[in-house]
Amino acid sequence: AQSVTQPDIHITVSEGASLELRCNYSYGATPYLFWYVQSPGQGLQLLLKYFSGDTLVQGIKGFEAEFKRSQSSFNLRKPSVHWSDAAEYFCAVEGLFGNEKLTFGTGTRLTIIP
Amino acid sequence: SAVISQKPSRDICQRGTSLTIQCQVDSQVTMMFWYRQQPGQSLTLIATANQGSEATYESGFVIDKFPISRPNLTFSTLTVSNMSPEDSSIYLCSGRGDLNTEAFFGQGTRLTVV
């Protein structure tokens, strides 16, 4: 079965600084990969996804993520964070062709300091 | 992607009672799912809501406790039955279209059982 690990429970970053959130997955092949963001009291919003092709994917709000097959990783990055980026970030994986379930990591809570 | 309207957005309920959560999608979707997010935790899949047939439940979740209906391709309900304080969570519904599309989420229902 697939699994997702987000090793950082909580990250604090200064506004304007760069950000990288880590995500590692376990799956027998290349899965579909996603990053979702959850603001306080809100549902989940899709930031970006990787299905195939270019391993560097661009998402909304200036986020990008890079799929590295050799490291089984899909880390999320942003060159300069804004106070509005404070939220919970979830990495998720799904098996090929969407036949399997969406499995979420435990999440990383991002705090932005002025 | 499609938009899911979920209601209620929050509720406080007495133990032993039941609450039904509704999700309405603004377009037909192939699959709908129900998740639970316990305080400070990630999302756990409760079940897949199948149109016109019984839902498919994940390990640890049973129909008597979480009956689900999906009468058509745009609507689903989840009932949390005979509630206890341990059922206090955020409940989210999710939908997705065909293969190779991402899942999208409702805003969630924050349930508190007292």
Side-chain angles (χ1 to χ4, degrees), chain A residues 28-78:
Chain A
T30 300
Y32 294 165
L33 297 159
F34 309 85
W35 275 100
Y36 287 86
V37 60
Q38 184 179 35
S39 298
Q42 302 293 312
L44 273 71
Q45 181 183 23
L46 180 71
L47 284 176
L48 46 78
K49 63 188 179 187
Y50 173 79
F51 285 170
S52 64
D54 192 346
T55 56
L56 183 64
V57 294
Q58 302 296 320
I60 62 172
K61 303 183 180 185
F63 285 93
E64 67 178 25
E66 185 172 12
F67 168 59
K68 292 185 177 180
R69 186 192 310 272
S70 62
Q71 299 177 18
S72 297
S73 69
F74 189 58
N75 294 347
L76 181 71
R77 300 193 295 249
K78 186 170 184 178

mmCIF file of all heavy atoms in Angstrom, chain A residues 28-78:
data_model
loop_
_atom_site.group_PDB
_atom_site.id
_atom_site.type_symbol
_atom_site.label_atom_id
_atom_site.label_comp_id
_atom_site.label_asym_id
_atom_site.label_seq_id
_atom_site.Cartn_x
_atom_site.Cartn_y
_atom_site.Cartn_z
ATOM 1 N N GLY A 28 4.915 1.276 -5.214
ATOM 2 C CA GLY A 28 5.633 0.350 -6.078
ATOM 3 C C GLY A 28 5.972 0.896 -7.452
ATOM 4 O O GLY A 28 6.785 0.340 -8.166
ATOM 5 N N ALA A 29 5.343 1.971 -7.832
ATOM 6 C CA ALA A 29 5.605 2.581 -9.130
ATOM 7 C C ALA A 29 5.518 4.094 -8.933
ATOM 8 O O ALA A 29 5.479 4.572 -7.803
ATOM 9 C CB ALA A 29 4.598 2.100 -10.153
ATOM 10 N N THR A 30 5.511 4.823 -10.010
ATOM 11 C CA THR A 30 5.362 6.268 -9.900
ATOM 12 C C THR A 30 3.892 6.597 -9.691
ATOM 13 O O THR A 30 3.058 6.305 -10.537
ATOM 14 C CB THR A 30 5.868 6.975 -11.158
ATOM 15 O OG1 THR A 30 7.254 6.661 -11.324
ATOM 16 C CG2 THR A 30 5.704 8.473 -11.022
ATOM 17 N N PRO A 31 3.582 7.197 -8.553
ATOM 18 C CA PRO A 31 2.173 7.515 -8.294
ATOM 19 C C PRO A 31 1.805 8.881 -8.846
ATOM 20 O O PRO A 31 2.647 9.592 -9.382
ATOM 21 C CB PRO A 31 2.134 7.534 -6.770
ATOM 22 C CG PRO A 31 3.486 8.087 -6.394
ATOM 23 C CD PRO A 31 4.455 7.581 -7.430
ATOM 24 N N TYR A 32 0.559 9.221 -8.695
ATOM 25 C CA TYR A 32 0.144 10.602 -8.881
ATOM 26 C C TYR A 32 0.434 11.325 -7.564
ATOM 27 O O TYR A 32 0.199 10.791 -6.486
ATOM 28 C CB TYR A 32 -1.345 10.684 -9.197
ATOM 29 C CG TYR A 32 -1.747 10.081 -10.516
ATOM 30 C CD1 TYR A 32 -3.081 9.816 -10.800
ATOM 31 C CD2 TYR A 32 -0.811 9.786 -11.499
ATOM 32 C CE1 TYR A 32 -3.469 9.268 -12.014
ATOM 33 C CE2 TYR A 32 -1.191 9.237 -12.719
ATOM 34 C CZ TYR A 32 -2.521 8.979 -12.967
ATOM 35 O OH TYR A 32 -2.900 8.443 -14.169
ATOM 36 N N LEU A 33 0.911 12.549 -7.649
ATOM 37 C CA LEU A 33 1.343 13.294 -6.473
ATOM 38 C C LEU A 33 0.661 14.651 -6.411
ATOM 39 O O LEU A 33 0.478 15.296 -7.454
ATOM 40 C CB LEU A 33 2.867 13.480 -6.500
ATOM 41 C CG LEU A 33 3.666 12.175 -6.431
ATOM 42 C CD1 LEU A 33 5.075 12.385 -6.977
ATOM 43 C CD2 LEU A 33 3.723 11.686 -4.985
ATOM 44 N N PHE A 34 0.326 15.063 -5.214
ATOM 45 C CA PHE A 34 -0.429 16.294 -5.027
ATOM 46 C C PHE A 34 0.077 17.041 -3.798
ATOM 47 O O PHE A 34 0.554 16.437 -2.837
ATOM 48 C CB PHE A 34 -1.927 15.998 -4.810
ATOM 49 C CG PHE A 34 -2.555 15.110 -5.833
ATOM 50 C CD1 PHE A 34 -2.478 13.731 -5.717
ATOM 51 C CD2 PHE A 34 -3.232 15.651 -6.911
ATOM 52 C CE1 PHE A 34 -3.051 12.899 -6.660
ATOM 53 C CE2 PHE A 34 -3.827 14.828 -7.858
ATOM 54 C CZ PHE A 34 -3.732 13.453 -7.736
ATOM 55 N N TRP A 35 -0.087 18.345 -3.850
ATOM 56 C CA TRP A 35 0.034 19.177 -2.657
ATOM 57 C C TRP A 35 -1.269 19.967 -2.511
ATOM 58 O O TRP A 35 -1.731 20.611 -3.459
ATOM 59 C CB TRP A 35 1.196 20.157 -2.768
ATOM 60 C CG TRP A 35 2.513 19.593 -2.353
ATOM 61 C CD1 TRP A 35 3.502 19.111 -3.163
ATOM 62 C CD2 TRP A 35 3.019 19.467 -1.018
ATOM 63 N NE1 TRP A 35 4.574 18.686 -2.411
ATOM 64 C CE2 TRP A 35 4.303 18.889 -1.090
ATOM 65 C CE3 TRP A 35 2.506 19.778 0.248
ATOM 66 C CZ2 TRP A 35 5.090 18.629 0.035
ATOM 67 C CZ3 TRP A 35 3.270 19.522 1.366
ATOM 68 C CH2 TRP A 35 4.550 18.952 1.254
ATOM 69 N N TYR A 36 -1.817 19.883 -1.288
ATOM 70 C CA TYR A 36 -3.004 20.638 -0.941
ATOM 71 C C TYR A 36 -2.673 21.591 0.207
ATOM 72 O O TYR A 36 -1.800 21.303 1.043
ATOM 73 C CB TYR A 36 -4.145 19.718 -0.481
ATOM 74 C CG TYR A 36 -4.815 18.923 -1.577
ATOM 75 C CD1 TYR A 36 -4.304 17.695 -1.985
ATOM 76 C CD2 TYR A 36 -5.961 19.397 -2.198
ATOM 77 C CE1 TYR A 36 -4.936 16.956 -2.990
ATOM 78 C CE2 TYR A 36 -6.604 18.670 -3.196
ATOM 79 C CZ TYR A 36 -6.076 17.450 -3.579
ATOM 80 O OH TYR A 36 -6.709 16.733 -4.570
ATOM 81 N N VAL A 37 -3.415 22.692 0.281
ATOM 82 C CA VAL A 37 -3.252 23.633 1.375
ATOM 83 C C VAL A 37 -4.602 23.784 2.076
ATOM 84 O O VAL A 37 -5.660 23.790 1.432
ATOM 85 C CB VAL A 37 -2.727 25.001 0.886
ATOM 86 C CG1 VAL A 37 -3.667 25.649 -0.112
ATOM 87 C CG2 VAL A 37 -2.470 25.931 2.060
ATOM 88 N N GLN A 38 -4.532 23.871 3.394
ATOM 89 C CA GLN A 38 -5.743 24.052 4.194
ATOM 90 C C GLN A 38 -5.541 25.252 5.117
ATOM 91 O O GLN A 38 -4.749 25.199 6.049
ATOM 92 C CB GLN A 38 -6.044 22.802 5.018
ATOM 93 C CG GLN A 38 -7.350 22.882 5.792
ATOM 94 C CD GLN A 38 -7.623 21.605 6.580
ATOM 95 O OE1 GLN A 38 -6.716 20.968 7.094
ATOM 96 N NE2 GLN A 38 -8.897 21.218 6.657
ATOM 97 N N SER A 39 -6.265 26.313 4.834
ATOM 98 C CA SER A 39 -6.233 27.475 5.713
ATOM 99 C C SER A 39 -7.160 27.227 6.888
ATOM 100 O O SER A 39 -8.073 26.409 6.803
ATOM 101 C CB SER A 39 -6.656 28.724 4.943
ATOM 102 O OG SER A 39 -5.748 28.973 3.894
ATOM 103 N N PRO A 40 -6.933 27.923 8.000
ATOM 104 C CA PRO A 40 -7.753 27.676 9.197
ATOM 105 C C PRO A 40 -9.248 27.747 8.919
ATOM 106 O O PRO A 40 -9.740 28.708 8.329
ATOM 107 C CB PRO A 40 -7.303 28.797 10.144
ATOM 108 C CG PRO A 40 -5.907 29.092 9.726
ATOM 109 C CD PRO A 40 -5.888 28.930 8.232
ATOM 110 N N GLY A 41 -9.956 26.695 9.306
ATOM 111 C CA GLY A 41 -11.399 26.666 9.140
ATOM 112 C C GLY A 41 -11.867 26.441 7.721
ATOM 113 O O GLY A 41 -13.063 26.593 7.439
ATOM 114 N N GLN A 42 -10.957 26.068 6.847
ATOM 115 C CA GLN A 42 -11.306 25.893 5.436
ATOM 116 C C GLN A 42 -11.122 24.446 4.999
ATOM 117 O O GLN A 42 -10.518 23.636 5.697
ATOM 118 C CB GLN A 42 -10.419 26.798 4.566
ATOM 119 C CG GLN A 42 -10.514 28.271 4.887
ATOM 120 C CD GLN A 42 -11.872 28.847 4.556
ATOM 121 O OE1 GLN A 42 -12.409 28.626 3.471
ATOM 122 N NE2 GLN A 42 -12.454 29.562 5.491
ATOM 123 N N GLY A 43 -11.650 24.164 3.816
ATOM 124 C CA GLY A 43 -11.394 22.865 3.212
ATOM 125 C C GLY A 43 -10.022 22.844 2.573
ATOM 126 O O GLY A 43 -9.182 23.713 2.822
ATOM 127 N N LEU A 44 -9.781 21.862 1.747
ATOM 128 C CA LEU A 44 -8.484 21.727 1.091
ATOM 129 C C LEU A 44 -8.525 22.324 -0.304
ATOM 130 O O LEU A 44 -9.480 22.098 -1.058
ATOM 131 C CB LEU A 44 -8.084 20.251 0.991
ATOM 132 C CG LEU A 44 -7.337 19.674 2.191
ATOM 133 C CD1 LEU A 44 -8.274 19.539 3.368
ATOM 134 C CD2 LEU A 44 -6.715 18.344 1.846
ATOM 135 N N GLN A 45 -7.464 23.031 -0.638
ATOM 136 C CA GLN A 45 -7.334 23.600 -1.975
ATOM 137 C C GLN A 45 -6.114 22.995 -2.639
ATOM 138 O O GLN A 45 -5.034 22.926 -2.045
ATOM 139 C CB GLN A 45 -7.184 25.124 -1.889
ATOM 140 C CG GLN A 45 -7.059 25.811 -3.235
ATOM 141 C CD GLN A 45 -6.846 27.310 -3.119
ATOM 142 O OE1 GLN A 45 -6.382 27.810 -2.103
ATOM 143 N NE2 GLN A 45 -7.193 28.029 -4.165
ATOM 144 N N LEU A 46 -6.263 22.576 -3.878
ATOM 145 C CA LEU A 46 -5.155 21.986 -4.613
ATOM 146 C C LEU A 46 -4.160 23.065 -5.010
ATOM 147 O O LEU A 46 -4.527 24.061 -5.622
ATOM 148 C CB LEU A 46 -5.667 21.274 -5.857
ATOM 149 C CG LEU A 46 -4.598 20.618 -6.721
ATOM 150 C CD1 LEU A 46 -4.021 19.397 -6.020
ATOM 151 C CD2 LEU A 46 -5.162 20.229 -8.084
ATOM 152 N N LEU A 47 -2.888 22.857 -4.646
ATOM 153 C CA LEU A 47 -1.822 23.770 -5.061
ATOM 154 C C LEU A 47 -1.218 23.341 -6.394
ATOM 155 O O LEU A 47 -0.991 24.181 -7.265
ATOM 156 C CB LEU A 47 -0.704 23.791 -4.008
ATOM 157 C CG LEU A 47 -0.951 24.567 -2.722
ATOM 158 C CD1 LEU A 47 0.226 24.377 -1.785
ATOM 159 C CD2 LEU A 47 -1.182 26.041 -3.003
ATOM 160 N N LEU A 48 -0.928 22.066 -6.511
ATOM 161 C CA LEU A 48 -0.338 21.544 -7.744
ATOM 162 C C LEU A 48 -0.411 20.031 -7.736
ATOM 163 O O LEU A 48 -0.704 19.408 -6.724
ATOM 164 C CB LEU A 48 1.111 22.024 -7.896
ATOM 165 C CG LEU A 48 2.040 21.947 -6.694
ATOM 166 C CD1 LEU A 48 2.544 20.539 -6.446
ATOM 167 C CD2 LEU A 48 3.217 22.889 -6.855
ATOM 168 N N LYS A 49 -0.112 19.457 -8.909
ATOM 169 C CA LYS A 49 -0.193 18.014 -9.067
ATOM 170 C C LYS A 49 0.868 17.561 -10.051
ATOM 171 O O LYS A 49 1.303 18.321 -10.925
ATOM 172 C CB LYS A 49 -1.570 17.619 -9.581
ATOM 173 C CG LYS A 49 -1.869 18.189 -10.955
ATOM 174 C CD LYS A 49 -3.311 17.954 -11.376
ATOM 175 C CE LYS A 49 -3.577 18.557 -12.753
ATOM 176 N NZ LYS A 49 -4.988 18.500 -13.155
ATOM 177 N N TYR A 50 1.272 16.307 -9.906
ATOM 178 C CA TYR A 50 2.160 15.672 -10.871
ATOM 179 C C TYR A 50 1.531 14.363 -11.306
ATOM 180 O O TYR A 50 1.262 13.480 -10.487
ATOM 181 C CB TYR A 50 3.542 15.419 -10.264
ATOM 182 C CG TYR A 50 4.429 14.621 -11.180
ATOM 183 C CD1 TYR A 50 5.068 15.234 -12.259
ATOM 184 C CD2 TYR A 50 4.600 13.256 -10.996
ATOM 185 C CE1 TYR A 50 5.861 14.502 -13.122
ATOM 186 C CE2 TYR A 50 5.400 12.511 -11.855
ATOM 187 C CZ TYR A 50 6.023 13.138 -12.916
ATOM 188 O OH TYR A 50 6.803 12.412 -13.774
ATOM 189 N N PHE A 51 1.337 14.250 -12.599
ATOM 190 C CA PHE A 51 0.853 12.996 -13.161
ATOM 191 C C PHE A 51 1.940 12.325 -13.992
ATOM 192 O O PHE A 51 2.156 11.114 -13.910
ATOM 193 C CB PHE A 51 -0.383 13.232 -14.035
ATOM 194 C CG PHE A 51 -1.649 13.500 -13.253
ATOM 195 C CD1 PHE A 51 -2.799 13.923 -13.893
ATOM 196 C CD2 PHE A 51 -1.712 13.344 -11.878
ATOM 197 C CE1 PHE A 51 -3.973 14.173 -13.182
ATOM 198 C CE2 PHE A 51 -2.867 13.593 -11.152
ATOM 199 C CZ PHE A 51 -4.002 14.009 -11.817
ATOM 200 N N SER A 52 2.595 13.097 -14.826
ATOM 201 C CA SER A 52 3.670 12.571 -15.678
ATOM 202 C C SER A 52 4.354 13.764 -16.337
ATOM 203 O O SER A 52 3.941 14.914 -16.166
ATOM 204 C CB SER A 52 3.120 11.614 -16.741
ATOM 205 O OG SER A 52 2.274 12.305 -17.628
ATOM 206 N N GLY A 53 5.420 13.491 -17.090
ATOM 207 C CA GLY A 53 6.068 14.550 -17.854
ATOM 208 C C GLY A 53 7.106 15.308 -17.055
ATOM 209 O O GLY A 53 7.831 14.728 -16.237
ATOM 210 N N ASP A 54 7.155 16.597 -17.268
ATOM 211 C CA ASP A 54 8.148 17.450 -16.619
ATOM 212 C C ASP A 54 8.092 17.266 -15.103
ATOM 213 O O ASP A 54 7.022 17.389 -14.491
ATOM 214 C CB ASP A 54 7.887 18.911 -16.981
ATOM 215 C CG ASP A 54 9.031 19.825 -16.592
ATOM 216 O OD1 ASP A 54 9.905 19.400 -15.819
ATOM 217 O OD2 ASP A 54 9.041 20.974 -17.060
ATOM 218 N N THR A 55 9.245 17.001 -14.524
ATOM 219 C CA THR A 55 9.265 16.696 -13.082
ATOM 220 C C THR A 55 9.182 17.935 -12.214
ATOM 221 O O THR A 55 9.009 17.823 -10.999
ATOM 222 C CB THR A 55 10.532 15.906 -12.724
ATOM 223 O OG1 THR A 55 11.678 16.654 -13.150
ATOM 224 C CG2 THR A 55 10.540 14.545 -13.420
ATOM 225 N N LEU A 56 9.317 19.105 -12.787
ATOM 226 C CA LEU A 56 9.147 20.354 -12.049
ATOM 227 C C LEU A 56 7.777 20.912 -12.439
ATOM 228 O O LEU A 56 7.549 21.259 -13.596
ATOM 229 C CB LEU A 56 10.258 21.339 -12.392
ATOM 230 C CG LEU A 56 10.222 22.666 -11.633
ATOM 231 C CD1 LEU A 56 10.421 22.440 -10.134
ATOM 232 C CD2 LEU A 56 11.299 23.621 -12.169
ATOM 233 N N VAL A 57 6.896 20.980 -11.475
ATOM 234 C CA VAL A 57 5.535 21.428 -11.768
ATOM 235 C C VAL A 57 5.265 22.749 -11.072
ATOM 236 O O VAL A 57 5.710 22.980 -9.951
ATOM 237 C CB VAL A 57 4.483 20.374 -11.346
ATOM 238 C CG1 VAL A 57 4.631 19.132 -12.187
ATOM 239 C CG2 VAL A 57 4.606 20.019 -9.882
ATOM 240 N N GLN A 58 4.549 23.580 -11.769
ATOM 241 C CA GLN A 58 4.181 24.884 -11.231
ATOM 242 C C GLN A 58 2.741 24.832 -10.745
ATOM 243 O O GLN A 58 1.882 24.179 -11.339
ATOM 244 C CB GLN A 58 4.318 25.946 -12.312
ATOM 245 C CG GLN A 58 5.715 26.051 -12.918
ATOM 246 C CD GLN A 58 6.757 26.479 -11.901
ATOM 247 O OE1 GLN A 58 6.513 27.330 -11.062
ATOM 248 N NE2 GLN A 58 7.938 25.862 -11.966
ATOM 249 N N GLY A 59 2.498 25.531 -9.657
ATOM 250 C CA GLY A 59 1.150 25.553 -9.121
ATOM 251 C C GLY A 59 0.643 26.960 -8.927
ATOM 252 O O GLY A 59 1.207 27.926 -9.441
ATOM 253 N N ILE A 60 -0.404 27.057 -8.152
ATOM 254 C CA ILE A 60 -0.984 28.366 -7.881
ATOM 255 C C ILE A 60 -0.219 29.056 -6.757
ATOM 256 O O ILE A 60 0.576 28.417 -6.047
ATOM 257 C CB ILE A 60 -2.472 28.248 -7.508
ATOM 258 C CG1 ILE A 60 -2.645 27.422 -6.219
ATOM 259 C CG2 ILE A 60 -3.260 27.635 -8.648
ATOM 260 C CD1 ILE A 60 -4.059 27.429 -5.681
ATOM 261 N N LYS A 61 -0.419 30.333 -6.609
ATOM 262 C CA LYS A 61 0.145 31.140 -5.532
ATOM 263 C C LYS A 61 1.665 31.144 -5.516
ATOM 264 O O LYS A 61 2.280 31.366 -4.474
ATOM 265 C CB LYS A 61 -0.376 30.663 -4.169
ATOM 266 C CG LYS A 61 -1.891 30.663 -4.041
ATOM 267 C CD LYS A 61 -2.329 30.261 -2.643
ATOM 268 C CE LYS A 61 -3.845 30.267 -2.540
ATOM 269 N NZ LYS A 61 -4.319 29.995 -1.159
ATOM 270 N N GLY A 62 2.297 30.883 -6.665
ATOM 271 C CA GLY A 62 3.743 30.941 -6.752
ATOM 272 C C GLY A 62 4.476 29.704 -6.254
ATOM 273 O O GLY A 62 5.701 29.713 -6.121
ATOM 274 N N PHE A 63 3.762 28.630 -5.972
ATOM 275 C CA PHE A 63 4.379 27.398 -5.504
ATOM 276 C C PHE A 63 4.838 26.528 -6.675
ATOM 277 O O PHE A 63 4.261 26.562 -7.751
ATOM 278 C CB PHE A 63 3.403 26.598 -4.638
ATOM 279 C CG PHE A 63 3.209 27.174 -3.262
ATOM 280 C CD1 PHE A 63 2.177 28.062 -3.014
ATOM 281 C CD2 PHE A 63 4.047 26.814 -2.225
ATOM 282 C CE1 PHE A 63 1.994 28.601 -1.749
ATOM 283 C CE2 PHE A 63 3.869 27.332 -0.954
ATOM 284 C CZ PHE A 63 2.841 28.235 -0.709
ATOM 285 N N GLU A 64 5.862 25.750 -6.419
ATOM 286 C CA GLU A 64 6.315 24.738 -7.352
ATOM 287 C C GLU A 64 6.743 23.510 -6.567
ATOM 288 O O GLU A 64 6.986 23.574 -5.358
ATOM 289 C CB GLU A 64 7.481 25.234 -8.219
ATOM 290 C CG GLU A 64 8.760 25.473 -7.449
ATOM 291 C CD GLU A 64 9.910 25.910 -8.348
ATOM 292 O OE1 GLU A 64 9.662 26.478 -9.433
ATOM 293 O OE2 GLU A 64 11.067 25.676 -7.959
ATOM 294 N N ALA A 65 6.808 22.382 -7.255
ATOM 295 C CA ALA A 65 7.269 21.151 -6.615
ATOM 296 C C ALA A 65 8.062 20.351 -7.632
ATOM 297 O O ALA A 65 7.796 20.418 -8.830
ATOM 298 C CB ALA A 65 6.094 20.330 -6.092
ATOM 299 N N GLU A 66 9.016 19.594 -7.136
ATOM 300 C CA GLU A 66 9.851 18.790 -8.006
ATOM 301 C C GLU A 66 9.755 17.326 -7.621
ATOM 302 O O GLU A 66 9.970 16.951 -6.461
ATOM 303 C CB GLU A 66 11.308 19.238 -7.927
ATOM 304 C CG GLU A 66 12.213 18.509 -8.922
ATOM 305 C CD GLU A 66 13.606 19.083 -8.980
ATOM 306 O OE1 GLU A 66 13.974 19.895 -8.108
ATOM 307 O OE2 GLU A 66 14.333 18.723 -9.923
ATOM 308 N N PHE A 67 9.415 16.508 -8.585
ATOM 309 C CA PHE A 67 9.350 15.065 -8.397
ATOM 310 C C PHE A 67 10.735 14.483 -8.651
ATOM 311 O O PHE A 67 11.323 14.681 -9.727
ATOM 312 C CB PHE A 67 8.334 14.455 -9.365
ATOM 313 C CG PHE A 67 8.401 12.956 -9.461
ATOM 314 C CD1 PHE A 67 8.221 12.169 -8.339
ATOM 315 C CD2 PHE A 67 8.644 12.334 -10.685
ATOM 316 C CE1 PHE A 67 8.277 10.788 -8.423
ATOM 317 C CE2 PHE A 67 8.701 10.960 -10.778
ATOM 318 C CZ PHE A 67 8.519 10.179 -9.645
ATOM 319 N N LYS A 68 11.249 13.766 -7.666
ATOM 320 C CA LYS A 68 12.538 13.104 -7.804
ATOM 321 C C LYS A 68 12.322 11.613 -7.560
ATOM 322 O O LYS A 68 12.200 11.166 -6.413
ATOM 323 C CB LYS A 68 13.561 13.678 -6.824
ATOM 324 C CG LYS A 68 13.960 15.108 -7.136
ATOM 325 C CD LYS A 68 15.077 15.585 -6.214
ATOM 326 C CE LYS A 68 15.522 16.999 -6.595
ATOM 327 N NZ LYS A 68 16.607 17.502 -5.720
ATOM 328 N N ARG A 69 12.308 10.872 -8.645
ATOM 329 C CA ARG A 69 12.035 9.440 -8.567
ATOM 330 C C ARG A 69 13.081 8.725 -7.717
ATOM 331 O O ARG A 69 12.746 7.856 -6.913
ATOM 332 C CB ARG A 69 12.008 8.838 -9.968
ATOM 333 C CG ARG A 69 11.593 7.370 -10.030
ATOM 334 C CD ARG A 69 11.885 6.813 -11.420
ATOM 335 N NE ARG A 69 11.354 7.681 -12.459
ATOM 336 C CZ ARG A 69 10.132 7.590 -12.931
ATOM 337 N NH1 ARG A 69 9.308 6.679 -12.461
ATOM 338 N NH2 ARG A 69 9.730 8.417 -13.884
ATOM 339 N N SER A 70 14.343 9.106 -7.881
ATOM 340 C CA SER A 70 15.427 8.404 -7.176
ATOM 341 C C SER A 70 15.328 8.572 -5.664
ATOM 342 O O SER A 70 15.800 7.733 -4.902
ATOM 343 C CB SER A 70 16.779 8.911 -7.667
ATOM 344 O OG SER A 70 16.917 10.293 -7.390
ATOM 345 N N GLN A 71 14.710 9.657 -5.239
ATOM 346 C CA GLN A 71 14.581 9.932 -3.808
ATOM 347 C C GLN A 71 13.153 9.703 -3.314
ATOM 348 O O GLN A 71 12.885 9.928 -2.128
ATOM 349 C CB GLN A 71 15.008 11.371 -3.514
ATOM 350 C CG GLN A 71 16.457 11.662 -3.880
ATOM 351 C CD GLN A 71 16.843 13.118 -3.649
ATOM 352 O OE1 GLN A 71 16.178 13.843 -2.927
ATOM 353 N NE2 GLN A 71 17.921 13.542 -4.284
ATOM 354 N N SER A 72 12.265 9.309 -4.197
ATOM 355 C CA SER A 72 10.848 9.131 -3.831
ATOM 356 C C SER A 72 10.341 10.377 -3.102
ATOM 357 O O SER A 72 9.709 10.288 -2.041
ATOM 358 C CB SER A 72 10.651 7.884 -2.955
ATOM 359 O OG SER A 72 11.013 6.722 -3.664
ATOM 360 N N SER A 73 10.656 11.520 -3.684
ATOM 361 C CA SER A 73 10.281 12.768 -3.021
ATOM 362 C C SER A 73 9.496 13.678 -3.951
ATOM 363 O O SER A 73 9.576 13.568 -5.182
ATOM 364 C CB SER A 73 11.527 13.500 -2.515
ATOM 365 O OG SER A 73 12.299 13.981 -3.602
ATOM 366 N N PHE A 74 8.750 14.567 -3.335
ATOM 367 C CA PHE A 74 7.955 15.553 -4.068
ATOM 368 C C PHE A 74 7.885 16.776 -3.178
ATOM 369 O O PHE A 74 6.865 17.096 -2.593
ATOM 370 C CB PHE A 74 6.571 14.981 -4.374
ATOM 371 C CG PHE A 74 5.734 15.830 -5.304
ATOM 372 C CD1 PHE A 74 6.187 16.164 -6.564
ATOM 373 C CD2 PHE A 74 4.464 16.253 -4.935
ATOM 374 C CE1 PHE A 74 5.416 16.921 -7.440
ATOM 375 C CE2 PHE A 74 3.677 17.007 -5.798
ATOM 376 C CZ PHE A 74 4.153 17.340 -7.051
ATOM 377 N N ASN A 75 8.985 17.501 -3.084
ATOM 378 C CA ASN A 75 9.085 18.635 -2.175
ATOM 379 C C ASN A 75 8.461 19.891 -2.772
ATOM 380 O O ASN A 75 8.597 20.169 -3.965
ATOM 381 C CB ASN A 75 10.538 18.904 -1.822
ATOM 382 C CG ASN A 75 11.155 17.770 -1.013
ATOM 383 O OD1 ASN A 75 10.444 16.895 -0.515
ATOM 384 N ND2 ASN A 75 12.473 17.781 -0.907
ATOM 385 N N LEU A 76 7.814 20.634 -1.913
ATOM 386 C CA LEU A 76 7.135 21.863 -2.303
ATOM 387 C C LEU A 76 8.040 23.047 -2.005
ATOM 388 O O LEU A 76 8.635 23.120 -0.925
ATOM 389 C CB LEU A 76 5.824 21.987 -1.532
ATOM 390 C CG LEU A 76 4.945 23.204 -1.823
ATOM 391 C CD1 LEU A 76 4.308 23.081 -3.211
ATOM 392 C CD2 LEU A 76 3.862 23.347 -0.754
ATOM 393 N N ARG A 77 8.088 24.010 -2.918
ATOM 394 C CA ARG A 77 8.952 25.164 -2.731
ATOM 395 C C ARG A 77 8.238 26.451 -3.099
ATOM 396 O O ARG A 77 7.306 26.459 -3.930
ATOM 397 C CB ARG A 77 10.223 25.037 -3.588
ATOM 398 C CG ARG A 77 11.065 23.821 -3.289
ATOM 399 C CD ARG A 77 12.422 23.936 -3.926
ATOM 400 N NE ARG A 77 12.351 23.940 -5.386
ATOM 401 C CZ ARG A 77 12.788 22.938 -6.153
ATOM 402 N NH1 ARG A 77 13.268 21.847 -5.572
ATOM 403 N NH2 ARG A 77 12.734 23.014 -7.456
ATOM 404 N N LYS A 78 8.715 27.519 -2.472
ATOM 405 C CA LYS A 78 8.278 28.854 -2.851
ATOM 406 C C LYS A 78 9.437 29.797 -2.575
ATOM 407 O O LYS A 78 10.023 29.757 -1.494
ATOM 408 C CB LYS A 78 7.034 29.286 -2.065
ATOM 409 C CG LYS A 78 6.457 30.614 -2.546
ATOM 410 C CD LYS A 78 5.112 30.913 -1.942
ATOM 411 C CE LYS A 78 4.532 32.196 -2.535
ATOM 412 N NZ LYS A 78 3.179 32.516 -2.018
#
